[in-house]
């Protein structure tokens, strides 16, 4: 494994053989690196499987008016947290391989990054954070760390997944960032900087959601192609596609433009990172730690990305239909919180232990955060 890494990875990459290890030491696996094992543990966790029925922006199970979708497959177009996660892993691995960073670590971090999301995305997060205001609050990134270190049960003799220190560190760093802050970073938490593997997963997350949220909003009819033309990034991508292909119908144009949007941002980031790594002479993980966060879009693209995100924020995330559905989902989650707070002794054993060791509020939040969208909206609150 060490020979393979020495041959394939750049000097600034995190080598699995240099890992700070696991909270409970384990013998090395015969043919899987520590980060391959982490990736497998995350993929096999119940929190990961539940991502398939958690909302990214639009629900697959409920329409924007909160009505349960008929089982005709129409909602299946939209990204769930699971397919979003796979898009992030795909973008991040592309960058990792091109830059000779540790692909296994990147994949583990990408698959882990949204595991702590409660049902109904940021609407659900706001409810839990409010109900935990006096008990430490709720943050989906920190929740993923709780899941990995104590809530998932994989071994009879210890809680959690016993992941490598670098995977837990990468996920913990995300908990310090404000949500949806993109590839930019807060200088106050920038020293020492996250590993490059962590930085590209954060950047890949932004690239993936900007592109697929635009696509999902078009599919849903919340946005038109004409409205997206207010974004220079979109407009230029459309122009490139019109030059590359003649006679595009609207559907083809949209698909090609979404691909182009991802490709432009990934290529731009690859260019920035290659340049930064070379110019700063980043020849070790220590040098990466000292350099601050370097995974930013180029200045020209950063401005355009910001413009697209502002447009998506006002036209999609703040759309009256999206907000109305959120209000309904939030009310249901809030009612469940009240209900379970009065019946903590009926929670599964893992959560009863949390109620005893931490607080009943934390136990209820842990329990509700694990549910899927339909796990919250389908059963009536007693
Ligand atoms: Mg994400």
């Amino acid at each position: 494994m060490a020979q393979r890494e020495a041959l394939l990875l750049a000097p600034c990459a995190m080598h699995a053989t240099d890992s700070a290890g696991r909270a409970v030491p384990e013998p090395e696996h015969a043919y899987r690196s520590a980060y391959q094992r982490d990736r497998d543990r995350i993929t096999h966790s119940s929190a990961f499987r539940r991502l398939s029925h958690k909302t990214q922006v639009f629900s697959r199970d409920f329409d924007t008016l909160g009505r349960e979708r008929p089982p005709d497959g129409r909602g299946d177009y939209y990204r769930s947290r699971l397919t979003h996660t796979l898009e992030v892993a795909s973008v991040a691995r592309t960058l990792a391989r091109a830059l000779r960073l540790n692909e296994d670590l990147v994949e583990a971090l990408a698959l882990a990054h949204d595991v702590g999301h409660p049902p109904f995305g940021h609407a659900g997060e706001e409810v839990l954070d409010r109900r935990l205001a006096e008990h430490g609050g709720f943050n989906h990134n920190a929740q993923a760390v709780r899941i990995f270190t104590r809530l998932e049960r994989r071994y009879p003799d210890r809680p959690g997944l016993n992941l490598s220190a670098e995977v837990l560190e990468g996920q913990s760093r995300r908990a310090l960032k404000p949500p949806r802050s993109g590839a930019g970073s807060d200088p106050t938490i920038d020293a020492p900087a996250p590993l490059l593997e962590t930085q590209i997963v954060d950047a890949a997350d932004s690239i993936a959601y900007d592109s697929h949220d635009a696509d999902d909003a078009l599919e849903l009819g919340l946005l038109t192609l004409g409205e997206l033309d207010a974004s220079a990034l979109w407009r230029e991508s459309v122009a490139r596609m019109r030059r590359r292909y003649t006679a595009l119908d609207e559907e083809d144009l949209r698909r090609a433009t979404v691909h182009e949007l991802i490709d432009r941002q990934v290529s731009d980031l690859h260019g920035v990172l290659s340049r930064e790594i070379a110019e700063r002479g980043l020849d070790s993980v220590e040098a990466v730690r000292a350099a601050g966060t370097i995974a930013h879009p180029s200045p020209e693209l950063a401005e355009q990305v910001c413009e697209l995100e502002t447009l998506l924020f006002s036209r999609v995330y703040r759309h009256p239909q999206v907000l109305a559905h959120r209000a309904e989902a939030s009310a249901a989650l809030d009612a469940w919180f009240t209900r379970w707070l009065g019946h903590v002794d009926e929670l599964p054993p893992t959560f009863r232990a949390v109620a005893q060791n931490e607080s009943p509020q934390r136990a209820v939040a842990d329990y509700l955060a694990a549910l899927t969208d339909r796990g919250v909206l389908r059963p009536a609150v007693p």
Side-chain angles (χ1 to χ4, degrees):
M1 204 67 72
Q3 280 175 348
R4 191 175 186 277
E5 288 194 332
L7 198 66
L8 291 177
L9 299 186
C12 61
M14 181 68 212
H15 293 223
T17 42
D18 296 334
S19 171
R22 307 174 188 278
V24 180
E26 292 178 29
E28 289 292 319
H29 190 272
Y31 49 85
R32 283 185 304 163
S33 78
Y35 303 138
Q36 281 180 285
R37 296 173 85 184
D38 292 336
R39 175 203 61 201
D40 296 344
R41 289 174 192 197
I42 293 159
T43 311
H44 289 272
S45 68
S46 79
F48 183 78
R49 287 195 298 279
R50 286 163 186 268
L51 292 175
S52 62
H53 284 281
K54 291 196 181 195
T55 292
Q56 178 64 27
V57 175
F58 308 110
S59 174
R60 296 181 148 204
D61 298 309
F62 300 92
D63 68 17
T64 52
L65 299 173
R67 291 173 307 213
E68 192 165 354
R69 291 185 194 279
D72 59 4
R74 252 186 290 176
D76 298 351
Y77 183 88
Y78 306 113
R79 273 73 173 180
S80 67
R81 287 238 171 247
L82 180 62
T83 63
H84 159 71
T85 294
L86 298 178
E87 290 187 29
V88 172
S90 150
V91 167
R93 282 191 54 174
T94 296
L95 282 164
R97 188 174 301 183
L99 295 163
R100 296 171 59 220
L101 298 174
N102 195 318
E103 266 185 76
D104 297 328
L105 175 56
V106 158
E107 192 177 17
L109 285 165
L111 296 180
H113 92 279
D114 265 357
V115 152
H117 262 291
F120 297 107
H122 296 284
E125 183 164 33
E126 278 164 26
V127 171
L128 296 180
D129 190 42
R130 180 163 45 72
R131 297 296 302 249
L132 288 180
E134 276 150 38
H135 303 272
F138 183 93
N139 170 290
H140 71 272
N141 285 315
Q143 188 66 13
V145 176
R146 278 181 72 73
I147 289 167
F148 295 142
T149 54
R150 60 169 305 165
L151 297 177
E152 277 284 336
R153 291 207 63 85
R154 190 177 164 87
Y155 307 102
D157 57 345
R158 65 189 101 114
L161 301 181
N162 203 32
L163 299 176
S164 300
E166 293 72 31
V167 175
L168 290 176
E169 184 220 292
Q171 185 59 35
S172 304
R173 297 292 294 248
R174 295 178 65 89
L176 302 172
K177 292 171 65 174
R180 294 223 154 190
S181 62
S185 64
D186 176 351
T188 58
I189 57 163
D190 236 15
L195 295 169
L196 287 176
E197 284 82 358
T198 301
Q199 295 186 37
I200 63 172
V201 170
D202 284 352
D205 188 20
S206 308
I207 292 172
Y209 64 61
D210 286 341
S211 312
H212 68 49
D213 289 353
D215 185 54
D216 278 1
L218 286 168
E219 171 72 17
L220 196 63
L222 290 184
L223 266 181
T224 63
L225 286 171
E227 286 170 318
L228 266 171
D229 272 345
S231 147
L233 185 60
W234 181 269
R235 217 165 45 234
E236 285 177 18
S237 300
V238 166
R240 283 178 192 222
M241 290 304 97
R242 285 204 192 281
R243 280 197 300 274
R244 188 177 306 168
Y245 304 105
T246 49
L248 282 173
D249 68 21
E250 238 189 38
E251 278 287 291
D252 285 341
L253 177 67
R254 173 178 129 194
R255 270 191 285 269
T257 303
V258 171
H259 292 162
E260 175 66 10
L261 219 52
I262 295 173
D263 191 54
R264 276 187 70 192
Q265 294 185 75
V266 173
S267 300
D268 177 77
L269 187 59
H270 175 250
V272 168
L273 280 168
S274 309
R275 210 162 43 241
E276 291 278 352
I277 290 168
E279 280 173 10
R280 291 167 186 252
L282 301 185
D283 56 1
S284 66
V285 165
E286 292 68 42
V288 169
R289 295 285 198 193
T293 297
I294 58 168
H296 299 291
S298 64
E300 319 81 78
L301 203 69
E303 205 174 300
Q304 294 194 353
V305 168
C306 184
E307 184 189 58
L308 175 63
E309 287 182 350
T310 307
L311 180 81
L312 287 173
F313 187 81
S314 61
R315 302 307 302 266
V316 179
Y317 311 137
R318 297 278 132 200
H319 193 284
Q321 272 188 45
V322 173
L323 289 181
H325 179 42
R326 274 188 193 176
E328 191 201 11
S330 298
L333 193 63
D334 193 63
W336 277 116
F337 198 100
T338 303
R339 194 267 167 196
W340 279 110
L341 202 54
H343 296 79
V344 171
D345 50 331
E346 290 171 22
L347 287 171
T350 306
F351 304 103
R352 289 207 302 273
V354 173
Q356 238 168 27
N357 300 331
E358 295 176 64
S359 67
Q361 285 80 2
R362 180 64 62 191
V364 173
D366 283 343
Y367 175 70
L368 291 177
L371 298 180
T372 56
D373 296 354
R374 54 192 185 184
V376 169
L377 270 194
R378 208 166 274 170
V381 184

